[in-house]
Amino acid sequence: MRKSLFTLAPAALLLMSVAGISNAADNAVITVQGNIQAATCDVTSSTSLLDLGTHKPAAFTAAGAKTPVPASTKGFTLHLSNCDVATDTVAHTASLIIDGNTLFGNNNIFSDDATGGYGVMFNKASETTYFDAGTEIEVAKTSDTPAPGDLNGKILSMEASLAGLTATPGTGRMKAPVSFQFAYN
């Protein structure tokens, strides 16, 4: 009996010391965001998941660095509804602010992996200006006497395309959570 206690003592000591090391988290961090505007609108998207397909690295090479891969381009729309517009005597602009994580060193290729080398670029349909994170994209203007009808039902047609930071990106999955937040100026 004495022998078995002595052989178990080091293991018991080790377990007691490890148990003292593990601690419960003593705080929690959340991100809270809000938006205070003179008008409000609900913003909805035609899709919550936009699959740009599977493409070979050669497609990125052909497109070139920081240039969308044409075969990956897909369209989607953003809609304004339930707008509550301030009544004043000034015309306003309703916009959507694009936001999300971007590739390190490039503010217009969005990806949840900043060092991944590839991501997605966004533009208005049929236009070739690609938006940086934080850009306000105009949706509509109000009249000089704003009314809800000025904004309700307005649609912003957008496109998303894969792009690489270089013309020879690696391979892997790309994911880019992007938000479009209502702004009224």
Side-chain angles (χ1 to χ4, degrees):
M1 173 94 173
R2 178 177 267 190
K3 188 175 183 180
S4 65
L5 278 177
F6 287 118
T7 57
L8 293 177
L13 184 61
L14 179 64
L15 284 174
M16 289 189 311
S17 67
V18 171
I21 293 173
S22 65
N23 293 320
D26 61 358
N27 62 16
V29 177
I30 63 169
T31 300
V32 178
Q33 66 182 34
N35 192 11
I36 296 90
Q37 301 285 333
T40 61
C41 286
D42 291 341
V43 180
T44 56
S45 174
S46 58
T47 184
S48 61
L49 176 64
L50 191 61
D51 186 349
L52 300 182
T54 302
H55 303 274
K56 292 182 176 183
F60 291 82
T61 303
K66 302 178 188 175
T67 304
V69 174
S72 72
T73 302
K74 297 276 171 85
F76 65 100
T77 54
L78 299 164
H79 306 258
L80 300 183
S81 62
N82 298 322
C83 298
D84 182 10
V85 180
T87 54
D88 56 20
T89 57
V90 179
H92 294 275
T93 302
S95 303
L96 295 176
I97 301 170
I98 186 172
D99 197 18
N101 294 330
T102 57
L103 295 180
F104 183 74
N106 190 290
N107 207 28
N108 71 352
I109 301 179
F110 294 80
S111 176
D112 66 350
D113 180 0
T115 61
Y118 45 84
V120 62
M121 297 178 80
F122 293 92
N123 60 292
K124 281 187 177 181
S126 303
E127 293 185 16
T128 57
T129 300
Y130 297 93
F131 299 112
D132 287 347
T135 299
E136 287 191 23
I137 307 165
E138 183 179 312
V139 179
K141 291 185 181 285
T142 66
S143 64
D144 288 338
T145 54
D150 292 344
L151 301 179
N152 278 326
K154 297 299 182 191
I155 297 172
L156 178 62
S157 295
M158 297 283 292
E159 292 177 336
S161 306
L162 291 173
L165 197 54
T166 68
T168 55
T171 59
R173 288 190 61 208
M174 188 285 305
K175 186 177 183 183
V178 177
S179 68
F180 294 90
Q181 183 177 24
F182 180 74
Y184 188 74
N185 301 312

